[in-house]
Amino acid sequence: MAPDSPDAPADEPRTDADASSESGPAPNAARVADLDWSESERGDRFAFRRKRLAERAGGRDLGCSLYEVPPGKRPWPTHYHEGNEEALYVLSGTGTLRTREGAADLDLEPDTYVALPAGADYARQIENDGDEPLRYLALSTMNHPDVTGYPDSDKVGVFCGAPPGGDKNTRTLHGYYPRDAEVGYWDGEPTAEE
């Protein structure tokens, strides 16, 4: 049933099938129940499950994923973005948003919204220090290029062609580098005629 049908409930989101039956672009919906979890685990410190909502709904400039972090785990290392702003909205569970050195950490609990602008002042890491899974929505602008900083390991990440969380197959340059790997502008360039 098309959302603009007189018989359709006003709050029923449009689905991919609805959009394909009409001409031109139209909003699409991603239902959490229709998506499989992707899972990630690294060592005994990092683990999460994720559903990419914006990608499924056809989002372009705004990303949104549902995350679930088990008790005692963290989803990502401490990091910040130079080119993208992120935000969190806690749905259930509790945790702590660890912030940059010298700044106060934030308690995370249901119905908490946290804005995370771009820049090193907003370095962060989520930790589920509660007894239940921590579920939250993570939203992000999807700008590229983007550079990510990792204060704990003193490295940087570079993302060109697609932003972090974007389509890896469209990346034209992507990598992680020690911050002290700097070289001079002319290093390695042929400066003499052969």
Side-chain angles (χ1 to χ4, degrees):
M1 177 177 353
D4 55 0
S5 162
D7 301 323
D11 60 349
E12 185 174 313
R14 182 185 308 264
T15 65
D16 292 337
D18 297 329
S20 65
S21 66
E22 300 173 13
S23 62
N28 294 312
R31 291 187 177 87
V32 170
D34 295 341
L35 297 172
D36 292 329
W37 288 104
S38 63
E39 298 190 29
S40 180
E41 189 172 346
R42 179 70 64 173
D44 59 2
R45 195 171 189 187
F46 298 98
F48 66 85
R49 298 189 325 158
R50 178 184 192 179
K51 293 188 179 194
R52 295 174 181 253
L53 303 174
E55 179 180 86
R56 175 67 174 267
R60 294 181 189 147
D61 297 328
L62 183 64
C64 180
S65 289
L66 172 63
Y67 278 88
E68 186 175 274
V69 180
K73 302 292 183 180
R74 303 158 193 218
W76 306 106
T78 302
H79 71 285
Y80 61 89
H81 295 265
E82 289 290 354
N84 283 292
E85 182 167 350
E86 293 182 319
L88 309 173
Y89 182 78
V90 180
L91 300 168
S92 62
T94 60
T96 301
L97 182 74
R98 308 278 178 214
T99 59
R100 67 173 166 74
E101 190 173 330
D105 293 339
L106 298 174
D107 292 332
L108 299 175
E109 58 189 38
D111 296 328
T112 300
Y113 176 87
V114 181
L116 298 162
D121 284 345
Y122 296 94
R124 69 286 199 155
Q125 181 181 66
I126 295 168
E127 180 180 0
N128 180 350
D129 50 16
D131 297 327
E132 300 175 13
L134 172 62
R135 278 188 132 185
Y136 63 93
L137 291 175
L139 299 101
S140 174
T141 55
M142 298 295 282
N143 300 324
H144 64 90
D146 190 13
V147 174
T148 53
Y150 298 86
D152 293 343
S153 57
D154 204 27
K155 69 178 179 257
V156 296
V158 177
F159 300 83
C160 298
D167 183 357
K168 294 178 183 178
N169 295 323
T170 62
R171 294 230 173 96
T172 55
L173 176 64
H174 176 221
Y176 298 93
Y177 310 95
R179 189 179 295 271
D180 63 3
E182 182 178 345
V183 296
Y185 180 78
W186 292 106
D187 284 2
E189 298 294 336
T191 56
E193 292 295 328
E194 293 184 19

